[in-house]
Amino acid sequence: MRNLARVVSQYRSHLRPVRESRSISFVSRRYLVERERRMNARIDRFSPASFTISRAMSADPVEIPSAEVSGDRGGPLVEYERRIGVGELMDGDLCQLGTLRELQRLYDELVEKSDECRLDRYATSEKTKRSRWLWSRFLPQSMHSPVKGLYLYGGVGTGKTMLMDLFYDQLPCTWRKKRIHFHDFMLNVHSRLQRHKGVSDPLEVVAGEISDEAILLCLDEFMVTDVADALILNRLFGQLFNNGVILVATSNRAPDNLYEGGLQRDLFLPFIATVKERCIVHEIGSSVDYRKMTSGEQGFYLVGLDLSGVLKATFQQLVGEHKPRPQEVEVVMGRKLRVPLGANGCAYFTFEDLCNRPLGAADYFGLFKKFHTLALDGIPIFGLHNRTAAYRFVTLIDVMYENKARLLCTAEGSPYELFERIVTVSDAKQMAPRTSSRSRKNDDLDLCVDNELGFAKDRTISRLTEINSKEYLEQHAAMLAEKQRFVQ
């Protein structure tokens, strides 16, 4: 604690006070008239033409005193301090500082042993790669990296993704590195396996391809729910680690809790042991959800399933003079996703079309590669009767958040209310058991006891809240403005 306090005191002089966040509220029917008036104003406000970058994002960088940085030392800890100094980040808590020390340790080790780890893409010729591959056919050998990776886990909104991205952005651009969402990574793996179908060991070939492209692999939101993924992860990462790959991962779950209660989990357990052997496991124990510390009442989240007309009118205003029409988007392995209405980067779906059909992460990634805004009509309250749709909705929000897309929607309740009936086994055990004084009619027969979904709901609630915040919409408008400027 004494050392950690010293780290805080070193950087305290540059930390700015944070304004008190306002509480977040959502729309109700009785405010419909006022909401429509304000909606038009917000559409203009968050359009790229009228957007101006906030003071915090445009402030000049603050020079860090040389006394606090030895030599030319760089890395995530220094960059974190700079961003706090210019107001881009809030004052970090002790848990984030502890995580930054782990990331800085990894950064320093990688810089020191970059040659030994074969990180520089230009230092290893194609001839050397082919020679290494040829000898490995005859003399299989382990080439574990001398540097251990890092597995970060913690509650929702604690800054895991932000910290990993901050670390990743400080690494030299010449390094063989890759940062990707876990869903996207596994889709890529399955696509490669399909391409190498018929080879004696396609998984070994795929692992070789991945490790040739990236020695440092950063996976965000590590969450295993699919039995097909669970069954190949141990062999896949066994090969990757043997090829010298270094893993940096973020997750809501500790390694021991991954794929908890999943089918054939005994076959998955060796993977957990492998991750713990090749990575330092670190928990971010912050109790703060930074996503919810944003200003609310700025988004397009409409509570009330009778507000479809308002949603369609808002969608029409966003597409402007363009005429919405049915479209198709390419998905992996030659599949196509039909978009009921799309124009000017905006897509319109009913919840039934997007989450009550057999779609998955691949379809959603394909959708957001073409569209930056989604209008989703009719999000229901989730329970036992629509558990599968709830899983798809969780995946949809994950992919949307990863792609920094904008959401317009109508929903039966607030984000919290949507998942109120989804509980974990532990939550269910804490609920009061039925007694003779309680009638069967009063029981909630739609209660869904599901560990994976119950664990994921907090992340989805948090992300829905952030997606509808002023700050998120400003960043989205800035992104669109930058794209338009680049096109012109």
Side-chain angles (χ1 to χ4, degrees):
M1 284 301 294
R2 191 173 301 166
N3 291 336
L4 195 54
R6 191 181 305 120
V7 173
V8 176
S9 62
Q10 283 180 334
Y11 290 92
R12 184 59 60 186
S13 61
H14 297 285
L15 304 182
R16 294 186 175 180
V18 181
R19 66 179 181 227
E20 186 175 356
S21 61
R22 291 179 286 165
S23 61
I24 297 171
S25 60
F26 296 91
V27 183
S28 60
R29 290 183 180 83
R30 59 181 175 171
Y31 297 122
L32 176 57
V33 176
E34 175 66 12
R35 178 71 191 206
E36 286 185 89
R37 183 185 67 78
R38 292 165 57 198
M39 186 74 74
N40 292 332
R42 274 198 297 279
I43 290 172
D44 294 335
R45 180 180 177 185
F46 292 116
S47 64
S50 61
F51 175 76
T52 55
I53 300 177
S54 64
R55 177 183 60 81
M57 296 297 291
S58 60
D60 294 330
V62 174
E63 184 178 353
I64 300 175
S66 57
E68 297 189 16
V69 183
S70 57
D72 295 327
R73 185 190 186 209
L77 195 58
V78 173
E79 176 62 14
Y80 181 79
E81 171 59 19
R82 185 197 70 79
R83 293 187 188 184
I84 288 178
V86 300
E88 292 180 15
L89 294 178
M90 295 175 58
D91 182 348
D93 58 25
L94 296 182
C95 296
Q96 284 197 350
L97 287 172
T99 304
L100 277 162
R101 293 175 69 184
E102 287 293 334
L103 288 166
Q104 186 68 44
R105 172 202 60 78
L106 177 58
Y107 174 89
D108 292 339
E109 283 190 38
L110 291 172
V111 170
E112 181 184 351
K113 300 180 180 179
S114 60
D115 291 340
E116 199 174 344
C117 294
R118 299 178 291 113
L119 280 164
D120 196 322
R121 72 176 72 249
Y122 300 111
T124 305
S125 66
E126 289 298 321
K127 182 178 179 181
T128 305
K129 288 180 185 177
R130 289 195 299 270
S131 175
R132 176 163 49 86
W133 180 86
L134 180 63
W135 279 108
S136 68
R137 303 303 95 190
F138 299 102
L139 298 172
Q141 54 184 325
S142 172
M143 297 179 63
H144 280 168
S145 170
V147 176
K148 283 193 174 186
L150 190 59
Y151 183 101
L152 302 174
Y153 75 97
V156 298
T158 51
K160 300 182 296 295
T161 298
M162 179 276 293
L163 292 173
M164 185 176 77
D165 285 346
L166 188 150
F167 160 78
Y168 184 83
D169 291 342
Q170 302 311 300
L171 302 172
C173 60
T174 58
W175 281 9
R176 289 192 287 160
K177 60 176 184 173
K178 188 177 187 68
R179 187 270 188 213
I180 188 171
H181 191 280
F182 180 71
H183 276 316
D184 208 3
F185 173 74
M186 291 309 301
L187 286 171
N188 182 268
V189 168
H190 287 295
S191 180
R192 290 176 189 253
L193 288 172
Q194 186 70 19
R195 192 164 64 244
H196 295 297
K197 193 175 181 179
V199 177
S200 59
D201 191 349
L203 201 59
E204 183 180 3
V205 176
V206 169
E209 289 179 347
I210 294 172
S211 54
D212 277 344
E213 294 167 7
I215 285 295
L216 183 63
L217 186 60
C218 297
L219 297 181
D220 192 27
E221 297 291 355
F222 208 111
M223 182 180 72
V224 185
T225 58
D226 187 87
V227 63
D229 292 346
L231 293 178
I232 68 171
L233 278 171
N234 184 49
R235 280 203 61 227
L236 174 64
F237 274 88
Q239 293 282 350
L240 290 175
F241 289 138
N242 281 339
N243 292 344
V245 166
I246 303 161
L247 174 66
V248 178
T250 69
S251 178
N252 287 349
R253 291 200 165 199
D256 289 329
N257 296 331
L258 287 172
Y259 197 52
E260 194 171 28
L263 294 172
Q264 303 183 54
R265 189 172 186 261
D266 55 321
L267 300 178
F268 179 76
L269 294 178
F271 169 72
I272 296 176
T274 301
V275 168
K276 291 164 72 174
E277 178 188 351
R278 295 306 312 159
C279 296
I280 292 175
V281 178
H282 178 81
E283 179 181 8
I284 308 178
S286 177
S287 59
V288 178
D289 186 343
Y290 288 98
R291 296 191 194 120
K292 293 183 179 178
M293 297 184 71
T294 53
S295 36
E297 299 187 82
Q298 299 293 340
F300 304 102
Y301 189 108
L302 304 172
V303 176
L305 297 182
D306 56 349
L307 301 180
S308 297
V310 179
L311 181 67
K312 288 177 181 176
T314 306
F315 173 77
Q316 188 61 55
Q317 286 179 280
L318 287 174
V319 300
E321 298 177 355
H322 301 266
K323 185 177 180 180
R325 59 180 178 79
Q327 298 186 28
E328 286 186 339
V329 294
E330 293 285 343
V331 186
V332 294
M333 289 183 274
R335 288 175 34 232
K336 292 185 178 180
L337 172 66
R338 182 181 177 276
V339 180
L341 289 174
N344 197 27
C346 303
Y348 181 93
F349 280 87
T350 65
F351 182 85
E352 294 286 327
D353 284 336
L354 203 54
C355 296
N356 259 349
R357 292 171 52 210
L359 302 176
D363 301 280
Y364 302 146
F365 273 109
L367 176 66
F368 292 114
K369 283 179 182 177
K370 184 170 182 180
F371 296 96
H372 57 69
T373 297
L374 170 66
L376 187 61
D377 190 15
I379 304 171
I381 287 176
F382 299 111
L384 186 61
H385 74 287
N386 58 1
R387 175 170 58 181
T388 303
Y391 266 107
R392 293 195 188 105
F393 182 69
V394 166
T395 302
L396 173 67
I397 298 302
D398 280 347
V399 175
M400 171 179 281
Y401 188 85
E402 175 72 11
N403 285 272
K404 298 179 175 60
R406 177 171 51 183
L407 174 68
L408 293 73
C409 69
T410 63
E412 196 173 353
S414 69
Y416 175 79
E417 291 169 338
L418 294 182
F419 290 92
E420 204 167 8
R421 297 175 186 170
I422 306 292
V423 297
T424 63
V425 173
S426 176
D427 293 334
K429 288 179 179 178
Q430 293 176 11
M431 293 180 175
R434 184 206 313 274
T435 64
S436 57
S437 62
R438 292 177 59 209
S439 68
R440 182 179 298 272
K441 187 170 65 175
N442 290 332
D443 286 339
D444 188 352
L445 299 179
D446 199 32
L447 191 70
C448 176
V449 182
D450 187 307
N451 256 0
E452 289 297 333
L453 195 55
F455 201 85
K457 74 174 186 179
D458 288 337
R459 180 179 73 253
T460 306
I461 292 169
S462 175
R463 288 184 164 181
L464 276 172
T465 303
E466 185 184 355
I467 284 172
N468 287 280
S469 70
K470 171 188 172 185
E471 290 81 359
Y472 185 94
L473 290 172
E474 285 180 342
Q475 291 175 15
H476 182 271
M479 179 184 71
L480 293 187
E482 181 64 22
K483 284 183 179 180
Q484 288 183 3
R485 187 187 66 80
F486 182 76
V487 170
Q488 294 172 356

